[in-house]
Amino acid sequence: MSMAAQRVAYSYCDMCNQVPKCGMKLHVEGDRIVRVEDRENYPAGPLCIKGLAILEEQYHPDRLLYPLKRTTSKGDPNPGWSRISWDEAYRTIAAKLNEVKTKYGPEKVGFFVGDPKEPRPAVQRLAYTFGSPNYGTESSLCSRATTMASQLTFGLVTGGGRPTKETGTCLIWTRNLAHTAPFEIERLRLAKKQGVKFVVVDPRITGTVQQVADLHLRLRPGTDGALALGMIHVMVKEGLFDSDFAARWTSGFPELAKYAEEFPPEEVERITGVPKEPVEEAVRLLAMHRPVTWIGSPSATVHSSNGLQNHRAILCLMALTGDFDVPGGLTIPTHPLPIHMFGGNAEFTRERDLLPELQDKRIDKERFPVWARFNSEIQMNLLPEYVQEGQLKAMVMFGANAMMWPQSSRYQEAIGRLEFAVAADYFLRPWTHDFVDLVLPAAMALERMNPIAVFGRKIYLREPVISPLGEAKPDWVIALEIGCHLGYGTEFWNGDETQALNSILRSVGLTVEDLRTGGADGVTVSASGPELFRKYEKGLLRADGKPGFDTPSGKVELASRILTEYGFDPLPRYREPVESPLSTPEIAREFPLILNSGSRVLMFTHSKLRELPSLRKLMPCAVVNIHPRDAEAQAIRQNEEVDLESPHGRIRVKANITEQVLPGVVDVSHGWADANVNEIVARYFDPISGFPAFKEGLCRVTRAGRQSS
Ligand SMILES: Nc1nc2c(c(=O)[nH]1)N[C@H]1C(S)=C(S)[C@@H](COP(=O)(O)OP(=O)(O)OC[C@H]3O[C@@H](n4cnc5c(=O)[nH]c(N)nc54)[C@H](O)[C@@H]3O)O[C@H]1N2
Ligand SMILES: Nc1nc2c(c(=O)[nH]1)N[C@H]1C(S)=C(S)[C@@H](COP(=O)(O)OP(=O)(O)OC[C@H]3O[C@@H](n4cnc5c(=O)[nH]c(N)nc54)[C@H](O)[C@@H]3O)O[C@H]1N2
Ligand SMILES: [Mo]
């Protein structure tokens, strides 16, 4: 190619499936992208090693490029994949879904999207239009328990806020941004230089701890509630909380203060392992350097059998600082756009008009009523039970991964038992797709348009940089076209994604054409007024315009009325993990270590990206991070193969001996097909949120082959 044939294009990354995404500038020759670099003037970036490896994924020789159907019966270990046309794929899907609808009812078809965010609005719309409320996503075990805890407590959703120039202290409980959003860590370092203090709660010494922590509290996994209650105890005892805010704007303070008396420092140390001094020091730091903001993990604190209440204890602690919605504190936007960060809205998904009529047919409503009250998505973690009980007969899945669930084989069996299942993905993933009937090739990020990226009030359109390889199609187009084949041509704009997008953009008075005209710098939708703070004083948080919070009592509910209504404890009560040295000492004698799973690594996203050579060489296989003391007890050497065993299963991994983990706690990353930690994680679920206990439980590590029974 001559230089003249080169062009530059702009896009954004999807290598970590997350939003908001980092900007990309691409150099293209003909229809081939030859180079990727950081995008100028874009709110998220620079790219991390995953983003820089995107062309390895884009042009990977094993990409799924054609629709495939299985030619052997379900249960045969070899699906005998055979290429089919899109037309045959769509006709099969429509026939099978309509058959299930006629035989059992539309609600027996489940719709599911895994960690990928972009397909969601279109798939949700598809589910409700078809007549099924049973649409769910990976949020069943990711961010939704934290947002529920926040809705129960504050009456609104907050996952925390970044420090600003007004901030005194930033409490990071818990995130490891150094691995999970590397570009953010640079911003925190800058804040630190400008004087913000950082208290970090994390069992491990992470990159985030090393780069910003002034104080690091290393708790035993699964005990967050006890630590937060212990901090509340110190706050109350030493008068280091905002008593005016507590009196005027919270409900249940006397009960919470009384309950926190059960968590004096000695007791907190016994439960969490964190000694008295740092706990007291943390509380004093928060009181002395105000306002306080908080950064929370979408998942780490709620991946436990008492996760929702543990997370609520953290939120109660934040409420008692009194810095809710003050400049530099935990603020919430005054004029959020009526569009999700990943591009949909409630009109488009039809949550607004169709879902209310369908709620009765939700398969999760009896088991998880609080979840069902707050979430349009169903709680998917009991998929094996739903299938076993005949509540689901078919599934339409986008970016699904059976390995993401505890005791994964139960999920594989469940999918295999369905009368029909279809999955769209970038690659053929045997651990999931061996159990389905049809696999559809999804176009990758640089080949697709939808949806839009939203940063605050700024919107970016993403145009395809090149056309899809093979016969791959964008997820949105697949969902729209399935809709058309099911007979809903009008509802799905006859498959036209520009019209679909326009219907979303209408809510902010824009069209795709406006965004195109806006070009690479995006379009800012101006706000109807300035940013306001202490919105609870001004009646801006409630639909009725009254001062206060949008909770039943109108206050921050330290004691939750909604939880009482459903028979749960109103206070953020601490319960020990189902299995732990304190709750099951007899099991702990045989399995003396705590199993902490799923800490993110920089080079991979869950089960993704393992096939990319430049990333794989940075971490060739699954490892268990183990403290030198625990390794020595079993005569384990660095890099040696070891058996990692829990009462629920065994996998083989390599030992990495490191002081970054606590003695008595091991840490294993998830998403390895040949050493799937979820095979040994128990199926214990938080009774309120339905979340699995990925970050608690017991295990042992022995040299490979030594434990033979
Ligand atoms: N590179 C990369 N980035 C990702 C992802 C990825 O797979 N790879 N996944 C994305 C997704 S879906 C998510 S949800 C986010 C997660 O984002 P983060 O929350 O930032 O990441 P994690 O590594 O899951 O967890 C953060 C920390 O929680 C600590 N931890 C473990 N158990 C406990 C506990 O019981 N209590 C407390 N307080 N801390 C505990 C771990 O030691 C870890 O350092 O990352 C996103 N970003
Ligand atoms: N033990 C343990 N288990 C965990 C966790 C843990 O901490 N510990 N974390 C949990 C959390 S928070 C999460 S979010 C989940 C992770 O959720 P998963 O859904 O397992 O995430 P991925 O492996 O990234 O993606 C799933 C599939 O989507 C495909 N894919 C990626 N992008 C696209 C796309 O745009 N379109 C289509 N059609 N397919 C795509 C990928 O190829 C992959 O096969 O894991 C959960 N499981
Ligand atoms: Mo997640």
Side-chain angles (χ1 to χ4, degrees):
M1 278 280 165
S2 72
M3 286 306 288
Q6 276 224 6
R7 65 188 164 93
V8 162
Y10 295 92
S11 186
Y12 40 83
C13 184
D14 86 330
M15 297 292 271
C16 72
N17 296 340
Q18 298 304 298
V19 282
K21 297 162 178 252
C22 296
M24 286 191 154
K25 180 174 175 180
L26 301 141
H27 298 266
V28 191
E29 284 179 9
D31 206 25
R32 191 169 177 96
I33 305 168
V34 293
R35 193 155 66 84
V36 48
E37 60 182 321
D38 293 322
R39 174 169 174 171
E40 307 92 354
N41 305 319
Y42 195 78
L47 296 169
C48 73
I49 49 173
K50 295 186 290 305
L52 293 169
I54 197 168
L55 297 185
E56 284 176 45
E57 190 191 47
Q58 165 65 39
Y59 294 114
H60 198 284
D62 296 340
R63 263 189 71 177
L64 181 63
L65 297 177
Y66 306 97
L68 302 176
K69 74 167 180 198
R70 66 181 306 135
T71 52
T72 60
S73 57
K74 289 266 197 69
D76 192 314
N78 176 11
W81 293 118
S82 157
R83 181 175 164 183
I84 55 171
S85 67
W86 273 103
D87 189 51
E88 182 181 346
Y90 284 140
R91 279 191 286 110
T92 309
I93 295 166
K96 293 287 183 184
L97 298 191
N98 281 329
E99 189 182 310
V100 169
K101 188 181 203 168
T102 315
K103 258 173 47 189
Y104 311 104
E107 70 279 7
K108 304 289 184 209
V109 179
F111 293 80
F112 178 77
V113 186
D115 194 36
K117 307 295 185 285
E118 297 188 24
R120 293 184 183 188
V123 178
Q124 193 169 8
R125 181 180 178 92
L126 181 62
Y128 302 157
T129 308
F130 181 72
S132 174
N134 296 316
Y135 158 80
T137 73
E138 129 290 0
S139 295
S140 285
L141 42 67
C142 185
S143 61
R144 283 296 155 90
T146 61
T147 57
M148 265 171 82
S150 168
Q151 286 166 302
L152 288 164
T153 311
F154 293 121
L156 50 79
V157 172
T158 172
R162 305 290 174 250
T164 66
K165 59 183 191 314
E166 292 96 349
T167 302
T169 316
C170 177
L171 173 61
I172 304 187
W173 191 331
T174 290
R175 277 220 86 172
N176 182 20
L177 293 162
H179 282 177
T180 60
F183 68 91
E184 297 257 11
I185 198 82
E186 220 21 70
R187 299 180 189 183
L188 298 190
R189 281 159 62 118
L190 194 68
K192 188 176 170 69
K193 268 195 207 132
Q194 291 165 346
V196 176
K197 301 279 180 220
F198 284 87
V199 176
V200 184
V201 181
D202 196 307
R204 300 183 308 148
I205 302 171
T206 61
T208 305
V209 169
Q210 286 167 327
Q211 294 184 65
V212 301
D214 292 287
L215 187 62
H216 178 198
L217 306 182
R218 300 186 75 183
L219 80 177
R220 166 164 69 93
T223 65
D224 295 89
L227 181 60
L229 287 159
M231 289 174 72
I232 292 171
H233 173 101
V234 177
M235 274 174 141
V236 174
K237 195 160 146 242
E238 301 190 5
L240 297 177
F241 68 104
D242 188 327
S243 52
D244 183 52
F245 184 88
R248 286 182 59 198
W249 299 109
T250 70
S251 80
F253 176 70
E255 295 92 317
L256 178 65
K258 177 138 199 341
Y259 177 49
E261 282 174 17
E262 294 176 25
F263 295 87
E266 309 68 48
E267 179 65 0
V268 171
E269 177 164 3
R270 185 183 75 87
I271 300 174
T272 69
V274 186
K276 174 178 179 167
E277 294 73 25
V279 174
E280 290 179 344
E281 198 186 332
V283 173
R284 290 175 196 142
L285 211 84
L286 299 187
M288 271 160 46
H289 302 274
R290 287 181 63 189
V292 180
T293 189
W294 155 75
I295 293 176
S297 166
S299 57
T301 45
V302 287
H303 278 172
S304 109
S305 54
N306 192 49
L308 186 123
Q309 291 286 37
N310 287 350
H311 195 79
R312 254 175 49 72
I314 300 167
L315 298 177
C316 291
L317 168 79
M318 279 309 298
L320 294 178
T321 66
D323 292 332
F324 189 85
D325 210 27
V326 305
L330 180 56
T331 57
I332 45 169
T334 313
H335 311 282
L337 288 183
I339 299 188
H340 303 154
M341 277 161 107
F342 45 91
N345 62 17
E347 279 77 35
F348 180 80
T349 60
R350 309 207 63 180
E351 278 162 76
R352 199 138 287 165
D353 63 332
L354 292 182
L355 183 59
E357 300 285 302
L358 299 171
Q359 286 283 16
D360 243 19
K361 297 181 186 163
R362 285 180 72 137
I363 54 182
D364 61 345
K365 69 177 196 302
E366 258 125 49
R367 284 188 173 104
F368 300 109
V370 186
W371 169 281
R373 175 174 174 142
F374 285 109
N375 294 295
S376 58
E377 300 178 7
I378 61 155
Q379 175 42 277
M380 268 290 178
N381 294 332
L382 297 189
L383 179 63
E385 284 77 4
Y386 300 147
V387 175
Q388 190 163 7
E389 293 161 5
Q391 301 204 63
L392 285 182
K393 295 285 187 186
M395 275 184 81
V396 179
M397 305 186 284
F398 287 73
N401 165 31
M403 269 199 292
M404 84 173 189
W405 281 293
Q407 300 291 301
S408 312
S409 56
R410 300 274 313 267
Y411 296 80
Q412 293 171 327
E413 275 163 37
I415 297 168
R417 283 182 54 183
L418 293 165
E419 291 186 12
F420 177 72
V422 52
D425 207 303
Y426 292 162
F427 291 91
L428 204 49
R429 311 281 196 196
W431 52 89
T432 309
H433 299 148
D434 276 4
F435 303 88
V436 309
D437 300 272
L438 279 187
V439 187
L440 306 175
M444 284 184 173
L446 304 177
E447 304 166 338
R448 65 192 181 211
M449 177 161 94
N450 293 309
I452 43 199
V454 182
F455 292 91
R457 301 196 60 84
K458 202 154 189 193
I459 302 187
Y460 293 83
L461 175 69
R462 183 177 63 201
E463 304 262 26
V465 175
I466 51 170
S467 39
L469 298 193
E471 290 180 5
K473 286 181 187 249
D475 293 304
W476 272 61
V477 172
I478 298 174
L480 300 185
E481 290 181 347
I482 291 177
C484 296
H485 278 82
L486 285 167
Y488 307 107
T490 324
E491 285 88 342
F492 289 94
W493 300 276
N494 298 315
D496 183 332
E497 56 180 339
T498 303
Q499 283 189 45
L501 253 189
N502 276 340
S503 90
I504 295 170
L505 288 168
R506 199 181 308 133
S507 64
V508 288
L510 291 172
T511 62
V512 167
E513 210 36 56
D514 295 330
L515 292 182
R516 265 188 198 133
T517 317
D521 289 334
V523 170
T524 301
V525 184
S526 55
S528 56
E531 258 330 282
L532 300 169
F533 297 96
R534 290 195 170 86
K535 293 184 261 299
Y536 51 89
E537 288 181 347
K538 306 177 177 78
L540 295 172
L541 299 183
R542 294 177 57 91
D544 60 14
K546 290 191 184 143
F549 291 80
D550 193 16
T551 56
S553 64
K555 306 279 178 70
V556 176
E557 296 204 344
L558 307 176
S560 162
R561 288 200 190 166
I562 293 175
L563 288 180
T564 311
E565 191 186 313
Y566 290 95
F568 295 108
D569 202 311
L571 290 172
R573 193 157 304 266
Y574 175 68
R575 283 189 298 119
E576 263 296 298
V578 176
E579 285 171 12
S580 87
L582 301 185
S583 60
T584 54
E586 62 299 344
I587 302 180
R589 267 191 293 281
E590 265 197 74
F591 298 94
L593 303 172
I594 290 163
L595 174 63
N596 192 359
S597 72
S599 293
R600 301 331 185 218
V601 289
L602 183 59
M603 53 294 233
F604 302 127
T605 304
H606 311 297
S607 68
K608 266 188 43 157
L609 313 183
R610 299 276 186 317
E611 54 281 325
L612 310 190
S614 73
L615 300 179
R616 185 63 177 257
K617 79 170 187 256
L618 300 173
M619 188 174 183
C621 65
V623 299
V624 55
N625 293 308
I626 182 167
H627 191 273
R629 190 201 78 179
D630 299 321
E632 202 183 327
Q634 293 293 329
I636 291 164
R637 292 183 307 263
Q638 175 66 10
N639 263 328
E640 183 176 18
E641 282 208 326
V642 291
D643 285 330
L644 172 62
E645 198 177 3
S646 81
H648 314 278
R650 185 199 300 165
I651 57 171
R652 187 160 289 183
V653 295
K654 279 194 173 169
N656 179 44
I657 303 174
T658 167
E659 293 195 350
Q660 293 188 330
V661 296
L662 281 169
V665 180
V666 298
D667 173 74
V668 195
S669 67
H670 62 306
W672 294 92
D674 53 356
N676 171 15
V677 69
N678 276 330
E679 280 169 20
I680 73 169
V681 172
R683 286 185 86 229
Y684 298 135
F685 300 100
D686 178 300
I688 307 171
S689 69
F691 267 46
F694 291 131
K695 294 181 171 52
E696 60 178 55
L698 296 168
C699 68
R700 65 182 166 219
V701 182
T702 49
R703 299 175 69 181
R706 267 196 50 198
Q707 213 77 40
S708 54
S709 62

